[in-house]
Amino acid sequence: MPARLRPSMSIGVGDPARELARMAAEFSVGAIVMGLHSEPERGRRMGSVTYRLLCHAPVLVVAWPPAAPVRVEGGEGRGV
């Protein structure tokens, strides 16, 4: 039998990446789902909050409709 999801809402104040990482740890989340920016002239790209959060929390980055994977270079060891 699948686990039941219980929706909840939390509001954080401050840097979005820091607050999302803090809340992910506090609530023991399995993954944070975030989307890509889609700009017709520049294609799909990852936003700065998503990029910074990748080093500090479990993040699933999605694009719709599905596209080629986004390559992330650098970022290791950078603080949120």
Side-chain angles (χ1 to χ4, degrees), residues 6 8 17 29 71:
R6 294 180 184 209
S8 66
V29 301
R71 182 180 173 136

Side-chain angles (χ1 to χ4, degrees), residues 36-39 42-46 63-68 70:
L36 294 176
H37 288 288
S38 182
E39 300 174 0
R42 296 176 70 187
R44 291 191 172 122
R45 61 187 188 95
M46 190 177 304
W64 193 260
V70 174

Side-chain angles (χ1 to χ4, degrees), residues 24-69:
E26 180 181 333
F27 295 108
S28 301
V29 301
I32 299 169
V33 179
M34 299 184 80
L36 294 176
H37 288 288
S38 182
E39 300 174 0
E41 66 279 356
R42 296 176 70 187
R44 291 191 172 122
R45 61 187 188 95
M46 190 177 304
S48 61
V49 173
T50 303
Y51 182 79
R52 292 187 356 245
L53 191 58
L54 279 170
C55 297
H56 301 281
V59 179
L60 173 63
V61 181
V62 296
W64 193 260

